[in-house]
Amino acid sequence: MIKIEKLIKIYSTEEVETTALNALSLTVKEGEFVSIMGTSGCGKSTLLNIIGLLDSPNDGSYLFNGEEVAHYNEKQRAILRKSNIGFVFQNFNLIDELSVYENVELPLIYNKVPLRERKERVNAILSRVDIAHRAKHFPLQLSGGQQQRVAVARALVTNPKLVLADEPTGNLDSKNGNEVMELLTELNSQGTTIIMVTHSSYDAKFSSRTITLKDGIIMSEQSNKHKIDVLVQ
């Protein structure tokens, strides 16, 4: 699904030039659940933004489903992004003035999905993440874990090929965080490709593969053979 080769991203100001990604290469197969770890400033968020077509590299190749997208302009990235990629953020990024139903429906409105189909898809995804009983509630009436379930539903309602999760449990207690990780694992078992940035070695064990970055390069990769053990503890 994703093939990145010698990706370079440099941020420049008048005084300093910072290399966020330094000729990084990475492949993610369809159906994988990959976690990306590393200290602050190692390039995790930059890599996720480029994979999510929110930013472009200075150099290198990025193939998304066989299509070279590294140097797409913003309009091209937006078109590809809205129909292929779902995002789950640490801070949920829900709109407080909209109900749970309306928050999840919003991407479908942007994609000009007809009303009847929107209703069917929103109701189905709310049931899938076990939050349908809160459809008429507003985000501030929900717990953190419930808000993240809504965010996951919003990410999935467009049937994306890829879900990007940026510290999805960062603002949750351990119980709610564990529920969100089990939800992501269940979605992955149903075929959704997931790439997750995390500081938590515990959360990373839910994924099938962990990549560690340092100074914009991949320092190590490991297969998480015992991920099932984490779920049953």
Side-chain angles (χ1 to χ4, degrees):
M1 172 179 278
I2 291 170
K3 186 175 182 180
I4 288 171
E5 292 185 336
K6 297 182 179 180
L7 210 65
I8 294 174
K9 181 64 179 181
I10 298 172
Y11 295 104
S12 300
T13 66
E14 291 183 0
E15 290 116 15
V16 66
E17 188 175 88
T18 302
T19 300
L21 298 177
N22 189 3
L24 182 145
S25 296
L26 169 68
T27 299
V28 177
K29 296 179 181 179
E30 185 172 355
E32 272 200 285
F33 184 172
V34 176
S35 56
I36 301 174
M37 299 190 69
T39 58
S40 296
C42 70
K44 300 188 304 294
S45 294
T46 298
L47 178 58
L48 204 69
N49 285 341
I50 291 176
I51 291 174
L53 302 172
L54 297 172
D55 201 357
S56 294
N58 294 97
D59 200 1
S61 172
Y62 172 20
L63 296 179
F64 184 86
N65 281 336
E67 183 176 352
E68 179 59 72
V69 300
H71 300 293
Y72 270 15
N73 60 36
E74 173 52 34
K75 183 178 180 180
Q76 291 172 312
R77 294 200 309 269
I79 291 171
L80 191 62
R81 183 172 61 236
K82 71 180 183 179
S83 58
N84 289 279
I85 302 174
F87 295 88
V88 179
F89 301 98
Q90 178 177 345
N91 295 320
F92 319 133
N93 284 17
L94 301 176
I95 300 174
D96 292 339
E97 293 77 19
L98 298 182
S99 68
V100 165
Y101 183 98
E102 291 166 335
N103 266 281
V104 175
E105 182 187 31
L106 202 56
L108 298 180
I109 293 175
Y110 289 151
N111 284 343
K112 300 180 180 179
V113 175
L115 176 61
R116 184 175 178 178
E117 184 181 347
R118 292 205 306 266
K119 184 176 181 180
E120 291 174 353
R121 289 170 67 171
V122 172
N123 287 333
I125 199 64
L126 289 178
S127 296
R128 186 178 176 188
V129 301
D130 195 25
I131 202 71
H133 60 295
R134 296 287 193 177
K136 295 182 179 179
H137 288 70
F138 292 88
L140 295 180
Q141 297 175 301
L142 306 179
S143 69
Q146 289 171 330
Q147 289 187 60
Q148 195 61 294
R149 284 182 176 271
V150 176
V152 171
R154 181 186 58 192
L156 292 175
V157 76
T158 59
N159 297 320
K161 295 180 176 66
L162 172 67
V163 169
L164 302 179
D166 190 0
E167 298 283 357
T169 67
N171 285 338
L172 302 177
D173 59 32
S174 57
K175 179 178 180 295
N176 283 312
N178 207 58
E179 289 179 356
V180 168
M181 290 310 306
E182 290 183 355
L183 173 59
L184 291 176
T185 303
E186 180 184 351
L187 295 170
N188 174 247
S189 71
Q190 296 168 357
T192 303
T193 305
I194 300 174
I195 300 177
M196 175 182 69
V197 162
T198 182
H199 280 100
S200 169
S201 57
Y202 176 77
D203 287 356
K205 291 178 182 177
F206 284 83
S207 67
S208 53
R209 180 161 55 113
T210 299
I211 295 169
T212 302
L213 300 188
K214 183 178 181 181
D215 298 331
I217 62 173
I218 294 176
M219 292 296 294
S220 65
E221 292 189 40
Q222 70 177 48
S223 174
N224 297 323
K225 297 180 181 179
H226 305 297
K227 59 176 287 189
I228 300 301
D229 296 338
V230 178
L231 298 180
V232 298
Q233 285 178 353

